[in-house]
Amino acid sequence: MACVDGVLCVDAITDALWLSVVPAGAMVLLGFLSFMITVPSKVVSALQHLAAGIVLAAVSVELLPILSNAPNDTLTIASITAGFTAGIVLFLGISKFCSSDVGAAEDEPRVLDEPFLKHHERHHGTGVFDIGRITLMRMMGSNANPPFPIPLFTAVGIDAFVDGFLIGLSSASGKSAGLVMAIALSIEMAFLGLTFAATIAKQSGPRRTLAVLSLGVVLLLGSVVGATTASAVAASVPLHAGVVAFGVAALLYLQELLLEAHSSQAEDHVWWIDLCFFVGFLTSFILEKYMR
């Protein structure tokens, strides 16, 4: 879909924004909900399976046919390869970035606790300097908030942007494709918002509220960029195939949700949790049939 005097671009962007409101809202809503309640681990695992099934079906039904039907010329194949490789590199980089942040957080020095301070007073005295230092330590221990996980926030933000980009990309190819993709990603983004919010639960109220809301905005922004990009490259088959290949790689990487879901189960696999993957796949596939 190429732009004609900007009209088609505006229509594609408007459709993408409307469609991305659902996953963005789900992400923000579940994020705020996690501040108030604790979601059982089995429910989280079931959501991961359901999201993995829906996303995998969306890739198979909506995006892979575009690549399969693309011309077999060298330029198109090279573009597909480059786009797919770029998606893999991006998300592997995000994964490494996020893992480094977790490792750094575990290595941070802990605030001195009250038993240590009492031990210091008992064995090392309480001179004027010691009293001032111990008082400062107590103040730090009682008021200090844990550091905000900026690398993790960046990684989740990139993920949200890419998901919005994929919704915009799909909606530019047709409203039915955009709707299926939006529904498929809504559960995935809801889970992402839930888990991210849980990691920043100890932050101050305004900080965590702003963080969760900003992720929703980033997703909406990604949908605008996706729709604009798809409209701009629609006239070039190789470029369009390359952009779609990038989206396929990004969505396939999200299937790590399934591995995380299995690893998070402390007991043997629960049958109804595993069933959620197949329910998600079948639901997405049937939905696409009705949307044609």
Side-chain angles (χ1 to χ4, degrees):
M1 183 188 304
C3 291
V4 179
D5 296 330
V7 176
L8 291 181
C9 279
V10 172
D11 289 343
I13 291 173
T14 302
D15 292 341
L17 278 174
W18 278 111
L19 290 172
S20 59
V21 164
V22 177
M27 186 179 194
V28 172
L29 179 62
L30 267 293
F32 286 143
L33 187 63
S34 72
F35 296 147
M36 298 179 286
I37 65 173
T38 300
V39 181
S41 59
K42 287 185 178 180
V43 174
V44 173
S45 183
L47 285 175
Q48 288 176 305
H49 279 75
L50 186 65
I54 292 175
V55 171
L56 185 60
V59 171
S60 304
V61 173
E62 299 295 342
L63 298 183
L64 285 182
I66 298 176
L67 301 182
S68 298
N69 296 329
N72 296 328
D73 59 273
T74 303
L75 182 59
T76 301
I77 294 175
S79 181
I80 292 174
T81 303
F84 194 86
T85 302
I88 295 174
V89 171
L90 174 63
F91 275 84
L92 286 178
I94 291 175
S95 177
K96 178 64 176 178
F97 195 46
C98 183
S99 298
S100 298
D101 176 55
V102 173
E106 293 176 349
D107 294 336
E108 288 176 357
R110 292 173 292 180
V111 177
L112 297 179
D113 54 15
E114 191 66 22
F116 176 85
L117 297 177
K118 288 183 177 180
H119 173 82
H120 180 89
E121 291 177 358
R122 184 167 57 252
H123 293 280
H124 299 282
T126 54
V128 174
F129 176 75
D130 289 324
I131 292 176
R133 182 172 58 179
I134 292 173
T135 302
L136 178 60
M137 289 178 178
R138 286 198 175 110
M139 291 174 61
M140 291 174 59
S142 61
N143 297 328
N145 289 323
F148 187 81
I150 294 178
L152 177 61
F153 175 75
T154 303
V156 174
I158 294 175
D159 193 348
F161 181 87
V162 171
D163 282 359
F165 181 89
L166 295 173
I167 294 173
L169 175 66
S170 301
S171 65
S173 302
K175 289 187 177 180
S176 61
L179 180 59
V180 171
M181 189 62 66
I183 295 174
L185 292 177
S186 290
I187 295 179
E188 189 263 323
M189 296 311 296
F191 167 76
L192 184 61
L194 182 72
T195 52
F196 172 74
T199 65
I200 62 170
K202 294 183 179 181
Q203 299 291 324
S204 63
R207 178 179 292 183
R208 66 189 188 188
T209 298
L210 180 61
V212 172
L213 287 176
S214 63
L215 291 176
V217 173
V218 167
L219 192 150
L220 294 175
L221 178 62
S223 69
V224 172
V225 175
T228 303
T229 302
S231 298
V233 304
S236 173
V237 174
L239 284 178
H240 185 256
V243 172
V244 172
F246 172 85
V248 169
L251 287 171
L252 287 179
Y253 186 84
L254 293 178
Q255 297 315 296
E256 284 207 343
L257 287 172
L258 193 58
L259 299 178
E260 293 177 6
H262 282 297
S263 63
S264 65
Q265 295 185 43
E267 54 194 59
D268 294 335
H269 295 308
V270 181
W271 69 268
W272 61 267
I273 293 180
D274 293 337
L275 180 63
C276 286
F277 171 81
F278 301 97
V279 171
F281 189 97
L282 181 62
T283 300
S284 182
F285 186 79
I286 292 177
L287 178 63
E288 191 276 337
K289 287 290 187 182
Y290 277 109
M291 291 301 300
R292 285 184 177 178

mmCIF file of all heavy atoms in Angstrom, residues 137-171:
data_model
loop_
_atom_site.group_PDB
_atom_site.id
_atom_site.type_symbol
_atom_site.label_atom_id
_atom_site.label_comp_id
_atom_site.label_asym_id
_atom_site.label_seq_id
_atom_site.Cartn_x
_atom_site.Cartn_y
_atom_site.Cartn_z
ATOM 1 N N MET A 137 23.641 5.716 57.989
ATOM 2 C CA MET A 137 23.372 4.387 57.443
ATOM 3 C C MET A 137 21.940 3.972 57.703
ATOM 4 O O MET A 137 21.271 3.381 56.849
ATOM 5 C CB MET A 137 24.336 3.361 58.053
ATOM 6 C CG MET A 137 25.775 3.495 57.577
ATOM 7 S SD MET A 137 26.849 2.290 58.370
ATOM 8 C CE MET A 137 28.409 2.680 57.571
ATOM 9 N N ARG A 138 21.434 4.288 58.918
ATOM 10 C CA ARG A 138 20.043 3.944 59.238
ATOM 11 C C ARG A 138 19.074 4.703 58.346
ATOM 12 O O ARG A 138 18.064 4.170 57.899
ATOM 13 C CB ARG A 138 19.766 4.252 60.713
ATOM 14 C CG ARG A 138 20.405 3.261 61.679
ATOM 15 C CD ARG A 138 19.743 3.353 63.036
ATOM 16 N NE ARG A 138 20.260 2.339 63.928
ATOM 17 C CZ ARG A 138 21.038 2.581 64.978
ATOM 18 N NH1 ARG A 138 21.408 3.818 65.248
ATOM 19 N NH2 ARG A 138 21.440 1.593 65.755
ATOM 20 N N MET A 139 19.390 5.972 58.095
ATOM 21 C CA MET A 139 18.524 6.777 57.222
ATOM 22 C C MET A 139 18.514 6.205 55.804
ATOM 23 O O MET A 139 17.468 6.119 55.148
ATOM 24 C CB MET A 139 19.000 8.230 57.187
ATOM 25 C CG MET A 139 18.804 8.970 58.494
ATOM 26 S SD MET A 139 19.547 10.611 58.450
ATOM 27 C CE MET A 139 18.622 11.370 57.125
ATOM 28 N N MET A 140 19.697 5.776 55.329
ATOM 29 C CA MET A 140 19.764 5.188 53.996
ATOM 30 C C MET A 140 18.980 3.888 53.939
ATOM 31 O O MET A 140 18.250 3.619 52.980
ATOM 32 C CB MET A 140 21.221 4.933 53.604
ATOM 33 C CG MET A 140 22.042 6.184 53.367
ATOM 34 S SD MET A 140 23.765 5.780 53.093
ATOM 35 C CE MET A 140 23.647 4.731 51.662
ATOM 36 N N GLY A 141 19.093 3.088 54.973
ATOM 37 C CA GLY A 141 18.407 1.810 54.973
ATOM 38 C C GLY A 141 16.904 1.955 55.019
ATOM 39 O O GLY A 141 16.173 1.142 54.472
ATOM 40 N N SER A 142 16.403 3.006 55.646
ATOM 41 C CA SER A 142 14.966 3.145 55.793
ATOM 42 C C SER A 142 14.321 3.882 54.644
ATOM 43 O O SER A 142 13.152 3.702 54.368
ATOM 44 C CB SER A 142 14.649 3.888 57.105
ATOM 45 O OG SER A 142 15.240 5.184 57.066
ATOM 46 N N ASN A 143 15.062 4.739 53.934
ATOM 47 C CA ASN A 143 14.444 5.590 52.913
ATOM 48 C C ASN A 143 14.867 5.276 51.497
ATOM 49 O O ASN A 143 14.213 5.696 50.555
ATOM 50 C CB ASN A 143 14.767 7.067 53.201
ATOM 51 C CG ASN A 143 14.191 7.536 54.520
ATOM 52 O OD1 ASN A 143 13.143 7.066 54.931
ATOM 53 N ND2 ASN A 143 14.884 8.445 55.181
ATOM 54 N N ALA A 144 15.983 4.569 51.320
ATOM 55 C CA ALA A 144 16.499 4.371 49.968
ATOM 56 C C ALA A 144 15.616 3.418 49.181
ATOM 57 O O ALA A 144 15.183 2.392 49.687
ATOM 58 C CB ALA A 144 17.919 3.826 50.038
ATOM 59 N N ASN A 145 15.323 3.762 47.938
ATOM 60 C CA ASN A 145 14.613 2.892 47.025
ATOM 61 C C ASN A 145 15.627 2.112 46.201
ATOM 62 O O ASN A 145 16.730 2.590 45.958
ATOM 63 C CB ASN A 145 13.711 3.708 46.091
ATOM 64 C CG ASN A 145 12.524 4.298 46.825
ATOM 65 O OD1 ASN A 145 11.966 3.670 47.720
ATOM 66 N ND2 ASN A 145 12.143 5.501 46.443
ATOM 67 N N PRO A 146 15.262 0.902 45.752
ATOM 68 C CA PRO A 146 16.184 0.162 44.883
ATOM 69 C C PRO A 146 16.386 0.921 43.582
ATOM 70 O O PRO A 146 15.496 1.650 43.131
ATOM 71 C CB PRO A 146 15.452 -1.167 44.658
ATOM 72 C CG PRO A 146 14.011 -0.865 44.933
ATOM 73 C CD PRO A 146 14.016 0.184 45.990
ATOM 74 N N PRO A 147 17.552 0.791 42.955
ATOM 75 C CA PRO A 147 17.809 1.517 41.707
ATOM 76 C C PRO A 147 16.844 1.084 40.611
ATOM 77 O O PRO A 147 16.466 -0.092 40.527
ATOM 78 C CB PRO A 147 19.256 1.134 41.371
ATOM 79 C CG PRO A 147 19.482 -0.155 42.087
ATOM 80 C CD PRO A 147 18.676 -0.085 43.339
ATOM 81 N N PHE A 148 16.450 2.027 39.767
ATOM 82 C CA PHE A 148 15.527 1.721 38.684
ATOM 83 C C PHE A 148 16.266 0.923 37.606
ATOM 84 O O PHE A 148 17.358 1.320 37.169
ATOM 85 C CB PHE A 148 14.970 3.007 38.078
ATOM 86 C CG PHE A 148 13.889 2.773 37.066
ATOM 87 C CD1 PHE A 148 12.587 2.521 37.475
ATOM 88 C CD2 PHE A 148 14.177 2.798 35.708
ATOM 89 C CE1 PHE A 148 11.583 2.297 36.543
ATOM 90 C CE2 PHE A 148 13.179 2.573 34.778
ATOM 91 C CZ PHE A 148 11.883 2.325 35.195
ATOM 92 N N PRO A 149 15.689 -0.209 37.158
ATOM 93 C CA PRO A 149 16.385 -1.061 36.165
ATOM 94 C C PRO A 149 16.291 -0.473 34.755
ATOM 95 O O PRO A 149 15.463 -0.888 33.935
ATOM 96 C CB PRO A 149 15.625 -2.384 36.280
ATOM 97 C CG PRO A 149 14.241 -1.991 36.684
ATOM 98 C CD PRO A 149 14.418 -0.793 37.604
ATOM 99 N N ILE A 150 17.143 0.485 34.462
ATOM 100 C CA ILE A 150 17.085 1.179 33.169
ATOM 101 C C ILE A 150 17.312 0.230 31.995
ATOM 102 O O ILE A 150 16.565 0.282 31.000
ATOM 103 C CB ILE A 150 18.099 2.337 33.144
ATOM 104 C CG1 ILE A 150 17.687 3.405 34.176
ATOM 105 C CG2 ILE A 150 18.175 2.959 31.749
ATOM 106 C CD1 ILE A 150 18.641 4.568 34.262
ATOM 107 N N PRO A 151 18.316 -0.660 32.027
ATOM 108 C CA PRO A 151 18.480 -1.582 30.891
ATOM 109 C C PRO A 151 17.251 -2.464 30.667
ATOM 110 O O PRO A 151 16.861 -2.700 29.524
ATOM 111 C CB PRO A 151 19.709 -2.403 31.281
ATOM 112 C CG PRO A 151 20.479 -1.512 32.204
ATOM 113 C CD PRO A 151 19.434 -0.781 32.984
ATOM 114 N N LEU A 152 16.653 -2.959 31.741
ATOM 115 C CA LEU A 152 15.446 -3.780 31.593
ATOM 116 C C LEU A 152 14.305 -2.965 31.009
ATOM 117 O O LEU A 152 13.581 -3.429 30.120
ATOM 118 C CB LEU A 152 15.044 -4.356 32.954
ATOM 119 C CG LEU A 152 13.755 -5.186 32.968
ATOM 120 C CD1 LEU A 152 13.889 -6.395 32.047
ATOM 121 C CD2 LEU A 152 13.410 -5.619 34.386
ATOM 122 N N PHE A 153 14.138 -1.739 31.482
ATOM 123 C CA PHE A 153 13.103 -0.855 30.949
ATOM 124 C C PHE A 153 13.337 -0.590 29.463
ATOM 125 O O PHE A 153 12.391 -0.579 28.661
ATOM 126 C CB PHE A 153 13.094 0.458 31.728
ATOM 127 C CG PHE A 153 12.144 1.490 31.180
ATOM 128 C CD1 PHE A 153 10.786 1.366 31.378
ATOM 129 C CD2 PHE A 153 12.620 2.578 30.468
ATOM 130 C CE1 PHE A 153 9.900 2.307 30.865
ATOM 131 C CE2 PHE A 153 11.760 3.528 29.953
ATOM 132 C CZ PHE A 153 10.385 3.387 30.162
ATOM 133 N N THR A 154 14.594 -0.398 29.080
ATOM 134 C CA THR A 154 14.920 -0.172 27.673
ATOM 135 C C THR A 154 14.587 -1.390 26.826
ATOM 136 O O THR A 154 14.016 -1.274 25.734
ATOM 137 C CB THR A 154 16.413 0.166 27.525
ATOM 138 O OG1 THR A 154 16.731 1.306 28.322
ATOM 139 C CG2 THR A 154 16.763 0.461 26.076
ATOM 140 N N ALA A 155 14.926 -2.576 27.340
ATOM 141 C CA ALA A 155 14.648 -3.805 26.599
ATOM 142 C C ALA A 155 13.155 -4.019 26.413
ATOM 143 O O ALA A 155 12.689 -4.357 25.315
ATOM 144 C CB ALA A 155 15.260 -4.993 27.338
ATOM 145 N N VAL A 156 12.379 -3.810 27.465
ATOM 146 C CA VAL A 156 10.923 -3.969 27.371
ATOM 147 C C VAL A 156 10.335 -2.909 26.448
ATOM 148 O O VAL A 156 9.411 -3.182 25.676
ATOM 149 C CB VAL A 156 10.281 -3.888 28.777
ATOM 150 C CG1 VAL A 156 8.754 -3.914 28.671
ATOM 151 C CG2 VAL A 156 10.758 -5.036 29.650
ATOM 152 N N GLY A 157 10.894 -1.700 26.500
ATOM 153 C CA GLY A 157 10.418 -0.631 25.617
ATOM 154 C C GLY A 157 10.652 -0.966 24.155
ATOM 155 O O GLY A 157 9.783 -0.728 23.305
ATOM 156 N N ILE A 158 11.818 -1.535 23.837
ATOM 157 C CA ILE A 158 12.106 -1.939 22.458
ATOM 158 C C ILE A 158 11.147 -3.043 22.030
ATOM 159 O O ILE A 158 10.634 -3.053 20.901
ATOM 160 C CB ILE A 158 13.563 -2.398 22.324
ATOM 161 C CG1 ILE A 158 14.512 -1.221 22.563
ATOM 162 C CG2 ILE A 158 13.813 -3.004 20.949
ATOM 163 C CD1 ILE A 158 15.971 -1.600 22.573
ATOM 164 N N ASP A 159 10.890 -3.972 22.944
ATOM 165 C CA ASP A 159 9.942 -5.052 22.652
ATOM 166 C C ASP A 159 8.564 -4.478 22.341
ATOM 167 O O ASP A 159 7.895 -4.885 21.372
ATOM 168 C CB ASP A 159 9.869 -6.003 23.850
ATOM 169 C CG ASP A 159 9.163 -7.303 23.509
ATOM 170 O OD1 ASP A 159 8.532 -7.380 22.437
ATOM 171 O OD2 ASP A 159 9.223 -8.242 24.309
ATOM 172 N N ALA A 160 8.097 -3.537 23.160
ATOM 173 C CA ALA A 160 6.785 -2.920 22.946
ATOM 174 C C ALA A 160 6.749 -2.164 21.622
ATOM 175 O O ALA A 160 5.749 -2.212 20.890
ATOM 176 C CB ALA A 160 6.457 -1.982 24.108
ATOM 177 N N PHE A 161 7.834 -1.461 21.312
ATOM 178 C CA PHE A 161 7.894 -0.714 20.057
ATOM 179 C C PHE A 161 7.818 -1.659 18.861
ATOM 180 O O PHE A 161 7.090 -1.398 17.888
ATOM 181 C CB PHE A 161 9.183 0.101 19.992
ATOM 182 C CG PHE A 161 9.324 0.933 18.746
ATOM 183 C CD1 PHE A 161 8.787 2.207 18.685
ATOM 184 C CD2 PHE A 161 9.990 0.433 17.633
ATOM 185 C CE1 PHE A 161 8.907 2.970 17.536
ATOM 186 C CE2 PHE A 161 10.112 1.191 16.479
ATOM 187 C CZ PHE A 161 9.567 2.465 16.431
ATOM 188 N N VAL A 162 8.558 -2.765 18.921
ATOM 189 C CA VAL A 162 8.559 -3.720 17.814
ATOM 190 C C VAL A 162 7.181 -4.356 17.655
ATOM 191 O O VAL A 162 6.702 -4.549 16.522
ATOM 192 C CB VAL A 162 9.638 -4.798 18.032
ATOM 193 C CG1 VAL A 162 9.502 -5.914 16.999
ATOM 194 C CG2 VAL A 162 11.026 -4.176 17.957
ATOM 195 N N ASP A 163 6.512 -4.681 18.758
ATOM 196 C CA ASP A 163 5.174 -5.253 18.661
ATOM 197 C C ASP A 163 4.195 -4.258 18.039
ATOM 198 O O ASP A 163 3.354 -4.626 17.214
ATOM 199 C CB ASP A 163 4.682 -5.677 20.049
ATOM 200 C CG ASP A 163 5.303 -6.989 20.499
ATOM 201 O OD1 ASP A 163 6.096 -7.557 19.725
ATOM 202 O OD2 ASP A 163 4.993 -7.451 21.603
ATOM 203 N N GLY A 164 4.296 -3.003 18.442
ATOM 204 C CA GLY A 164 3.473 -1.978 17.810
ATOM 205 C C GLY A 164 3.804 -1.845 16.333
ATOM 206 O O GLY A 164 2.914 -1.684 15.492
ATOM 207 N N PHE A 165 5.082 -1.927 16.013
ATOM 208 C CA PHE A 165 5.529 -1.873 14.620
ATOM 209 C C PHE A 165 4.892 -2.986 13.802
ATOM 210 O O PHE A 165 4.453 -2.774 12.661
ATOM 211 C CB PHE A 165 7.054 -1.983 14.580
ATOM 212 C CG PHE A 165 7.650 -1.916 13.200
ATOM 213 C CD1 PHE A 165 7.988 -0.690 12.648
ATOM 214 C CD2 PHE A 165 7.867 -3.070 12.471
ATOM 215 C CE1 PHE A 165 8.541 -0.624 11.370
ATOM 216 C CE2 PHE A 165 8.419 -3.017 11.200
ATOM 217 C CZ PHE A 165 8.750 -1.787 10.645
ATOM 218 N N LEU A 166 4.818 -4.193 14.380
ATOM 219 C CA LEU A 166 4.243 -5.333 13.676
ATOM 220 C C LEU A 166 2.745 -5.151 13.453
ATOM 221 O O LEU A 166 2.208 -5.565 12.420
ATOM 222 C CB LEU A 166 4.511 -6.613 14.462
ATOM 223 C CG LEU A 166 5.980 -7.012 14.588
ATOM 224 C CD1 LEU A 166 6.135 -8.201 15.517
ATOM 225 C CD2 LEU A 166 6.576 -7.320 13.228
ATOM 226 N N ILE A 167 2.062 -4.544 14.420
ATOM 227 C CA ILE A 167 0.631 -4.261 14.243
ATOM 228 C C ILE A 167 0.437 -3.262 13.114
ATOM 229 O O ILE A 167 -0.446 -3.419 12.261
ATOM 230 C CB ILE A 167 0.018 -3.740 15.551
ATOM 231 C CG1 ILE A 167 0.034 -4.831 16.619
ATOM 232 C CG2 ILE A 167 -1.421 -3.247 15.322
ATOM 233 C CD1 ILE A 167 -0.408 -4.359 17.987
ATOM 234 N N GLY A 168 1.259 -2.209 13.096
ATOM 235 C CA GLY A 168 1.175 -1.229 12.022
ATOM 236 C C GLY A 168 1.497 -1.835 10.675
ATOM 237 O O GLY A 168 0.835 -1.542 9.666
ATOM 238 N N LEU A 169 2.496 -2.708 10.649
ATOM 239 C CA LEU A 169 2.877 -3.385 9.414
ATOM 240 C C LEU A 169 1.740 -4.256 8.895
ATOM 241 O O LEU A 169 1.424 -4.253 7.699
ATOM 242 C CB LEU A 169 4.122 -4.238 9.671
ATOM 243 C CG LEU A 169 4.612 -5.129 8.532
ATOM 244 C CD1 LEU A 169 5.097 -4.275 7.374
ATOM 245 C CD2 LEU A 169 5.722 -6.061 9.027
ATOM 246 N N SER A 170 1.094 -4.997 9.790
ATOM 247 C CA SER A 170 0.009 -5.887 9.385
ATOM 248 C C SER A 170 -1.227 -5.102 8.957
ATOM 249 O O SER A 170 -1.901 -5.469 7.990
ATOM 250 C CB SER A 170 -0.349 -6.835 10.538
ATOM 251 O OG SER A 170 0.766 -7.610 10.911
ATOM 252 N N SER A 171 -1.542 -4.036 9.693
ATOM 253 C CA SER A 171 -2.738 -3.256 9.364
ATOM 254 C C SER A 171 -2.594 -2.570 8.016
ATOM 255 O O SER A 171 -3.586 -2.347 7.309
ATOM 256 C CB SER A 171 -3.012 -2.218 10.449
ATOM 257 O OG SER A 171 -1.977 -1.247 10.503
#
